[in-house]
Amino acid sequence: MKNFKWKFLLVFVAILLLLTACKEESVDNDQEEKDVVTDASPDRYLDTITILTRPQAAAPDEYETAMMIHDGLLELGLDVEVSAMPWEQLSDIVWYERDEWQITGWQMAARPERLDPDEFTYNLFHSGGIEDGYNFLGYNNPEYDAIAEAQRKEVDKEARAELVKEAQQIIADDATYHFTVHPNINIVYNSDVFVKDSITDMTGMGAHNIWTYTGAEPAGEEKDIILNSADNVQAINPFYISGSTDSWVTELVWDRVMRMNEDGLPEPWAAESVEWEDDSTVLVTLRDGMEWHDGNPVTAEDVKFSFDAPKTGEVPMYEPFVANIDNIEVLNDLELRFSLKEPWAAFETSSLAKLNIVPKHIWEPILEDLADKPENAESYQEEVPVGSGPYKFGSWKFQEEVVLDANKDHFNAPKMDRWIVRIISNMEAALGMIQNGEINFLATYMGDADLLSQEVEANDNLEMITSIDLGFNFFAVNHRLEPFNDLSFRKALQAIVDKEAITEIIWKGYATPADSVVAPSLEYWKNDSISIPSGGIDQAIEILSEAGYQWDEEGALLKPE
């Protein structure tokens, strides 16, 4: 027995030595691939890179992906840190301090009007949005601008699809975003509270949509829709959307000329009809009898004001959605004519179904007062927001909840009495609350999807609806700052963002790897031929070496000379 033990020990030591030798050889090989220099100039060293993300409890998928990127950059020889913070703090830094951040986790939420590719194609990347629009990362490519503009004008659907696909390829080639996944939308609701057939599964949106919130029927005495959000509501403002939760509220409080129906197509909403008189002239007739929540009538003047306001400079977020409107003529209280500068294929989706209709009698004096101030309409908060939508503002406890009351006089009045969103940043807590009845509609869940599925199966009163998200998750880099202003560095970062591992390990298969802004469910618009570096650290080293990057003797990455 002693001899056996000694033989086993000798074999174990031999294997250990062999593995150590292999590892050292691997390290040596890595070093041979790298161009190592001595006595590097201090100005060749890169600054510490800070990755912004939401906290692990609130967004475990984003936080864990940030750590994966952190480890990859560390292996490339960079000093890296991860800074976790609440969504409202993170979004304020990225949106308002555009020269200050380096890498940030981000998500483009699914919204009905984004079923047409125009908003993602034009607004996210056109250089016109660099200063104060959606192009917060500072991407600037005149070739891309021209294609983004061309797809807006092209009325031939097939020709437009080719332009949209070309735009996707340029974004990939320029390593503009670092895409991760299109998440599965897992919506859970309590079937003791809602009639099953009254919950609408909308294309690209899942069960979380305006058709559910207006059409859901009570199955018993409970008549409140009580849902969760991991992110705080930052503003209830028809001219500013700081995140997905804000948009849930504004979509219910304010009406729009058109809305995307459950099949993902635009249809008249506040409008009785939308008639194209020619390829650049649209006649809109409003529904008769609509009222603001303060009792005043909704008129064509309100609609004109809502679409003119973004051109004043006081509403920069919405300016791209009205830029192609040449003139709006009010014909009478219910009719108005939109004249476009040139044909716009996505006008119904990206403008008429995008802008909130606001009361002129409230917002006109506000904008006039802001005209001589550094602030704009995005920073203004009404004490009692007034819209005309299917829900009225009830109350708002910051970082706790928003309560909306059903507008029973609305032309599409909700069947439930109240809509309540509670801010629950911890996913485990949210899961517990849908189980014990504190909430009855799990609208956001970014925790363990396997665990969620198991809990639904174990509870007879819980139902889950799953679909692929129209939106996508990604990490944005600041193109204004070094080293992210270098295409080679961005491509190296692409190589270490392992979307397959993120999908399988972090999302446990409850997501689809993303390579563009267009979701796989939008097959007509999706470019299936996109190629993005995905070879991991080895490919990243190769890309950087070819671009002139080097390493010092300690393995620190050095800028090209």
Side-chain angles (χ1 to χ4, degrees):
M1 179 66 74
K2 288 182 179 180
N3 287 338
F4 174 78
K5 288 182 177 179
W6 278 109
K7 286 180 181 178
F8 177 81
L9 182 60
L10 289 171
V11 170
F12 175 77
V13 171
I15 292 173
L16 184 62
L17 291 171
L18 179 62
L19 290 173
T20 302
C22 290
K23 182 177 180 181
E24 289 175 351
E25 183 180 351
S26 173
V27 171
D28 290 341
N29 287 339
D30 284 346
Q31 292 298 330
E32 288 171 7
E33 291 175 8
K34 296 176 181 178
D35 184 4
V36 178
V37 298
T38 57
D39 300 323
S41 171
D43 62 5
R44 295 192 63 193
Y45 287 89
L46 290 155
D47 293 336
T48 298
I49 290 175
T50 301
I51 304 173
L52 305 183
T53 176
R54 288 171 291 172
Q56 187 171 21
D61 57 281
E62 183 177 281
Y63 181 86
E64 290 166 20
T65 303
M67 293 306 301
M68 183 180 289
I69 294 172
H70 166 276
D71 293 347
L73 291 175
L74 206 62
E75 195 168 346
L76 281 179
L78 290 135
D79 287 329
V80 194
E81 61 184 16
V82 172
S83 178
M85 61 186 67
W87 166 250
E88 60 270 22
Q89 182 183 353
L90 186 152
S91 62
D92 276 355
I93 291 172
V94 172
W95 194 263
Y96 294 114
E97 301 176 28
R98 298 196 172 198
D99 295 329
E100 301 301 321
W101 59 276
Q102 296 168 299
I103 307 180
T104 183
W106 203 265
Q107 61 185 37
M108 293 308 300
R111 293 177 190 160
E113 63 274 14
R114 290 174 173 173
L115 286 162
D116 186 281
D118 178 67
E119 181 174 342
F120 283 164
T121 301
Y122 185 89
N123 295 297
L124 296 187
F125 307 112
H126 192 279
S127 62
I130 288 176
E131 184 177 348
D132 51 20
Y134 279 97
N135 186 357
F136 55 80
L137 64 164
Y139 173 65
N140 191 345
N141 181 341
E143 178 191 2
Y144 183 87
D145 283 357
I147 292 173
E149 292 164 8
Q151 66 81 30
R152 286 194 137 189
K153 304 171 190 175
E154 183 56 69
V155 293
D156 181 273
K157 191 174 181 181
E158 291 184 5
R160 183 175 176 233
E162 289 305 310
L163 289 168
V164 170
K165 291 175 182 178
E166 186 177 352
Q168 293 171 61
Q169 187 61 60
I170 293 175
I171 292 304
D173 291 343
D174 286 350
T176 310
Y177 278 177
H178 293 77
F179 297 99
T180 55
V181 299
H182 298 281
N184 281 7
I185 308 172
N186 298 309
I187 304 293
V188 176
Y189 68 92
N190 189 327
S191 58
D192 288 344
V193 176
F194 306 104
V195 174
K196 289 184 182 181
D197 292 342
S198 68
I199 304 298
T200 300
D201 185 7
M202 183 178 177
T203 300
M205 297 288 297
H208 165 62
N209 58 73
I210 190 171
W211 306 107
T212 288
Y213 296 143
T214 55
E217 299 177 19
E221 295 182 2
E222 176 63 71
K223 292 187 178 181
D224 289 342
I225 301 175
I226 308 173
L227 60 152
N228 72 305
S229 172
D231 298 325
N232 284 316
V233 173
Q234 288 189 251
I236 303 178
N237 181 335
F239 287 133
Y240 176 61
I241 306 296
S242 67
S244 59
T245 313
D246 291 17
S247 71
W248 300 355
V249 178
T250 57
E251 196 166 321
L252 298 174
V253 174
W254 285 273
D255 282 318
R256 298 175 186 180
V257 174
M258 303 184 79
R259 285 213 188 268
M260 306 301 287
N261 65 24
E262 59 191 78
D263 296 320
L265 300 172
E267 66 177 31
W269 176 258
E272 185 71 35
S273 64
V274 175
E275 177 186 350
W276 285 84
E277 298 180 325
D278 55 46
D279 62 7
S280 60
T281 310
V282 181
L283 178 65
V284 172
T285 303
L286 298 177
R287 292 175 182 269
D288 193 8
M290 289 180 60
E291 291 186 350
W292 297 108
H293 297 155
D294 64 5
N296 285 291
V298 177
T299 70
E301 286 289 350
D302 293 309
V303 177
K304 174 177 167 58
F305 173 79
S306 302
F307 283 79
D308 283 342
K311 293 186 176 184
T312 64
E314 298 300 325
V315 190
M317 178 174 281
Y318 283 92
E319 193 279 333
F321 307 108
V322 302
N324 195 36
I325 299 174
D326 184 46
N327 182 58
I328 303 173
E329 178 187 4
V330 173
L331 304 177
N332 53 56
D333 283 350
L334 297 179
E335 289 185 310
L336 63 164
R337 179 177 287 115
F338 288 80
S339 299
L340 306 181
K341 296 176 182 177
E342 52 197 359
W344 182 7
F347 176 60
E348 290 184 355
T349 303
S350 298
S351 192
L352 295 183
K354 177 69 178 179
L355 269 73
N356 299 305
I357 303 173
V358 303
K360 181 179 179 180
H361 65 280
I362 290 177
W363 278 94
E364 185 175 49
I366 293 172
L367 295 190
E368 289 174 352
D369 182 61
L370 289 169
D372 297 324
K373 297 180 178 179
E375 301 86 5
N376 59 39
E378 293 181 355
S379 61
Y380 189 87
Q381 180 59 59
E382 296 174 85
E383 185 175 344
V384 178
V386 174
S388 62
Y391 283 90
K392 302 178 181 181
F393 177 81
S395 63
W396 177 15
K397 296 179 181 178
F398 187 67
Q399 297 185 336
E400 292 185 32
E401 68 175 19
V402 172
V403 178
L404 304 181
D405 299 319
N407 179 8
K408 297 301 184 180
D409 295 324
H410 194 266
F411 59 83
N412 191 26
K415 296 177 176 62
M416 303 294 282
D417 289 343
R418 296 193 302 173
W419 183 93
I420 302 169
V421 59
R422 291 187 173 150
I423 311 305
I424 307 163
S425 60
N426 186 288
M427 291 297 101
E428 290 184 13
L431 182 55
M433 292 172 79
I434 188 70
Q435 290 173 290
N436 64 29
E438 290 182 72
I439 61 175
N440 52 39
F441 197 95
L442 188 69
T444 301
Y445 185 77
M446 293 174 287
D448 188 325
D450 279 336
L451 178 60
L452 177 63
S453 181
Q454 291 167 14
E455 294 299 336
V456 170
E457 289 179 9
N459 290 270
D460 293 338
N461 65 325
L462 296 183
E463 297 286 335
M464 182 162 73
I465 298 176
T466 299
S467 55
I468 298 176
D469 200 336
L470 170 67
F472 57 92
N473 291 21
F474 65 104
F475 275 74
V477 298
N478 198 327
H479 290 232
R480 306 170 184 84
L481 305 180
E482 193 177 56
F484 307 107
N485 56 2
D486 179 13
L487 176 59
S488 296
F489 188 89
R490 297 199 304 270
K491 282 190 170 293
L493 182 56
Q494 275 184 330
I496 65 172
V497 178
D498 190 339
K499 292 189 284 289
E500 297 296 334
I502 292 168
T503 300
E504 295 303 321
I505 297 172
I506 295 177
W507 287 87
K508 298 188 177 180
Y510 289 85
T512 301
D515 60 11
S516 89
V517 297
V518 178
S521 56
L522 302 179
E523 295 180 12
Y524 188 82
W525 305 105
K526 181 77 174 75
N527 186 337
D528 291 323
S529 303
I530 291 173
S531 178
I532 291 176
S534 57
I537 294 297
D538 290 342
Q539 187 179 17
I541 291 172
E542 180 181 351
I543 291 169
L544 291 172
S545 296
E546 289 177 356
Y549 285 82
Q550 296 174 304
W551 286 261
D552 73 6
E553 293 172 297
E554 301 298 322
L557 183 64
L558 304 171
K559 292 181 283 188
E561 290 185 293

